[in-house]
Amino acid sequence: MTTFRLATEKDAPELQILSHAAYEPIRQLGIHFTAATADLETVLTNINNNACYVMEEDGKIIATVSIRMPWGLQPGPAGVPHIWWFAVDPTLGKKGVGSTLLTWVEETVIRDTIKAPAVTLGTADKHPWLIEMYERKGYKRIGEKDLGKGHITVYLRKILRADLIQPNNRGD
């Protein structure tokens, strides 16, 4: 049975292991994402400062994604919730786990619960396929920034409720 829930501090060791495994290809590409090398303290900080969700299958965490809020310590670039620290158990292959979790967070949490009009995320310009994957999921580029991590961060936004955005602020 698949369930979704907020992570708790007791999940931190399992989330650290999951993140390190999921981000191994990122490390091999030389891309510096926090989740790729996070120590236990960093995982706990993420759980305590952000909305860190987990997807479980029969009691085992198989994926995680966090949402940074515009009012939080690390707001995203556009004044809306910002997705980050997205990791899926790499042993699951291409079974749609990541898409299922991302859609659930976008629709159930951000659109229907928080009532946010949009969501953003950022990824490295050096990654060979992530930007295109997010574009296929309805995200559009809204900017780039050098955060001093050895790559340019490309920011993307997905409109979830256009009816909540002033027409001159849509960026369409």
Side-chain angles (χ1 to χ4, degrees):
M1 178 177 176
T2 302
T3 58
F4 304 93
R5 65 174 174 81
L6 280 168
T8 66
E9 287 187 355
K10 74 177 183 70
D11 296 316
E14 191 174 354
L15 288 176
Q16 182 187 28
I17 292 167
L18 171 66
S19 294
H20 286 194
Y23 281 84
E24 175 60 28
I26 299 293
R27 286 192 302 278
Q28 290 178 7
L29 289 169
I31 298 171
H32 302 286
F33 286 162
T34 301
T37 58
D39 60 18
L40 200 53
E41 182 179 329
T42 304
V43 176
L44 285 165
T45 297
N46 179 53
I47 291 169
N48 289 318
N49 291 352
N50 302 298
C52 176
Y53 286 91
V54 298
M55 180 178 178
E56 291 180 314
E57 186 72 37
D58 300 321
K60 180 183 185 278
I61 296 174
I62 60 171
T64 185
V65 66
S66 294
I67 306 167
R68 295 183 346 212
M69 299 301 176
W71 54 83
L73 298 173
Q74 288 182 283
V80 296
H82 183 78
I83 290 174
W84 86 311
W85 206 312
F86 184 24
V88 177
D89 181 338
T91 66
L92 298 177
K94 304 238 182 242
K95 296 183 179 177
V97 172
S99 291
T100 298
L101 177 59
L102 185 61
T103 298
W104 181 83
V105 165
E106 290 169 348
E107 295 176 359
T108 304
V109 177
I110 298 170
R111 183 192 70 195
D112 298 344
T113 303
I114 298 173
K115 309 285 189 220
V119 63
T120 60
L121 56 79
T123 194
D125 65 337
K126 291 182 177 180
H127 195 284
W129 52 265
L130 275 178
I131 294 169
E132 290 77 18
M133 180 196 77
Y134 287 122
E135 288 175 334
R136 284 191 307 272
K137 294 181 181 303
Y139 286 80
K140 295 183 179 176
R141 292 178 193 225
I142 59 166
E144 297 180 349
K145 189 168 185 179
D146 185 345
L147 300 175
K149 295 184 176 190
H151 64 266
I152 300 299
T153 297
V154 176
Y155 290 109
L156 299 107
R157 177 179 67 181
K158 183 176 185 178
I159 303 296
L160 303 174
R161 288 204 46 196
D163 61 308
L164 295 178
I165 301 175
Q166 295 290 332
N168 60 343
N169 291 332
R170 288 190 188 157
D172 294 338

